[in-house]
Amino acid sequence: FVGNAAENSGGGINVSAGIEMRLDSCVFLNNTANFGGAVNMDEDSLDLSKLWIDKCTFSQNFGLQQAAGLNINNADVDIVNSLFAYNSNIGTGYGGAISNNASQG
C-alpha cells in the first residue's frame, strides 16, 4: 500500500466494527490520513473486531491528527515480526507509530 490518502481514517486500510482481518507480509509506505495514516481499526460495543499483523512494514506514513502507522479504537490487535519506522504524527494527537484508544466498559 503506497501513497494512499484518506480525508478521515485509514490512508491505506480502514476497518469498521465487527471485522476480523489478517495482514501478512504487507508494506505500508507513504500513506496519509487524519487518523491512522496507514491503518485504522475501529470497534463498536459488540467487541468482535480482531486484527493480526505479521511480517509487515509500516514506514514513512503520516497521521494528520493521530497515529501515523496504526490507529486502534477498542479493537484486539496482535502484532508480531513487524517493523514501524519513520512514521510521523504531524498533528496535535498521539502516536507516531501506534495509537491505542481503548475503554473498559
Side-chain angles (χ1 to χ4, degrees):
F1 299 84
V2 179
N4 299 289
E7 185 175 319
N8 194 27
S9 299
I13 296 175
N14 183 41
V15 182
S16 296
I19 301 296
E20 292 188 0
M21 175 179 266
R22 183 174 303 275
L23 299 174
D24 191 338
S25 304
C26 295
V27 174
F28 294 88
L29 175 66
N30 198 27
N31 299 288
T32 306
N34 284 336
F35 299 91
V39 176
N40 183 70
M41 182 73 172
D42 283 327
E43 179 54 272
D44 62 12
S45 61
L46 297 176
D47 197 27
L48 299 174
S49 290
K50 179 76 175 172
L51 176 62
W52 293 270
I53 299 174
D54 189 13
K55 298 181 290 293
C56 292
T57 300
F58 293 76
S59 183
Q60 300 176 18
N61 298 290
F62 297 93
L64 302 179
Q65 292 185 24
Q66 186 168 293
L70 172 62
N71 192 53
I72 307 164
N73 292 305
N74 289 325
D76 293 332
V77 178
D78 288 338
I79 303 170
V80 295
N81 303 317
S82 295
L83 174 68
F84 290 79
Y86 307 109
N87 298 288
S88 298
N89 177 12
I90 57 178
T92 58
Y94 297 100
I98 299 170
S99 179
N100 185 17
N101 306 288
S103 64
Q104 183 173 344

